[in-house]
Amino acid sequence: MLALLALIAACKGDKIEPESGLMGTWKLKSYCKPEGTNTCTNITIPANKGVFIEFSVKGTFKEYYQNTIPVEHAFLGCGNGSYEIENNDVRIKAMCMSSLAGRLIKIKSLTNKKLVIVPFDTGEYIFERE
């Protein structure tokens, strides 16, 4: 029991707040591509391809690709824009979005090395810090 409590405390200590920990470049490792109502298909990004998102100190957001295109593997597929933290989630605003308010994206977990977000009703997107 004591070992379990120590493990929980150690894992909890890895969690960081979006206000300070989101900034930087993140590489998409895998995601669950929505496939209709409440279902999705797990996709792993091949090692020779890259989907990156970047959050700057100045509040800018970038999405860019290496050896792939948005049609093949994408997070939002919107390119550049801005972001702000809202109730421990992230609101991303980019020109291709249908609303000027952008999209509020749930941050499921955030550590120094890993970001798990839920941009749609189903499926997680798992990023690792570059």
Side-chain angles (χ1 to χ4, degrees):
M1 181 68 166
L2 186 57
L4 178 61
L5 289 174
L7 179 62
I8 291 170
C11 290
K12 190 174 182 180
D14 287 343
K15 186 176 179 183
I16 55 178
E17 294 299 318
E19 290 283 344
S20 61
L22 193 61
M23 290 173 275
T25 302
W26 300 87
K27 184 176 183 180
L28 184 62
K29 293 298 184 175
S30 65
Y31 62 100
C32 198
K33 181 179 179 181
E35 301 284 343
T37 308
N38 298 325
T39 62
C40 60
T41 302
N42 288 318
I43 308 285
T44 300
I45 305 296
N48 66 338
K49 299 181 185 236
V51 177
F52 300 88
I53 57 174
E54 183 179 300
F55 298 95
S56 79
V57 175
K58 296 179 181 180
T60 59
F61 168 81
K62 282 173 60 175
E63 178 177 9
Y64 56 97
Y65 305 88
Q66 181 180 53
N67 299 325
T68 189
I69 56 176
V71 172
E72 193 174 45
H73 298 288
F75 167 54
L76 294 175
C78 281
N80 301 338
S82 64
Y83 79 96
E84 55 191 45
I85 302 301
E86 190 174 305
N87 297 323
N88 287 329
D89 292 324
V90 62
R91 181 173 297 279
I92 297 175
K93 299 175 185 177
M95 291 187 67
C96 76
M97 294 180 165
S98 59
S99 168
L100 293 176
R103 181 185 294 168
L104 185 63
I105 297 172
K106 178 180 175 33
I107 297 176
K108 185 171 181 180
S109 68
L110 174 62
T111 67
N112 284 322
K113 297 178 182 177
K114 188 175 180 182
L115 168 64
V116 180
I117 55 179
V118 183
F120 307 106
D121 292 336
T122 359
E124 298 177 344
Y125 280 57
I126 301 171
F127 292 85
E128 289 182 358
R129 189 178 297 275
E130 278 292 290

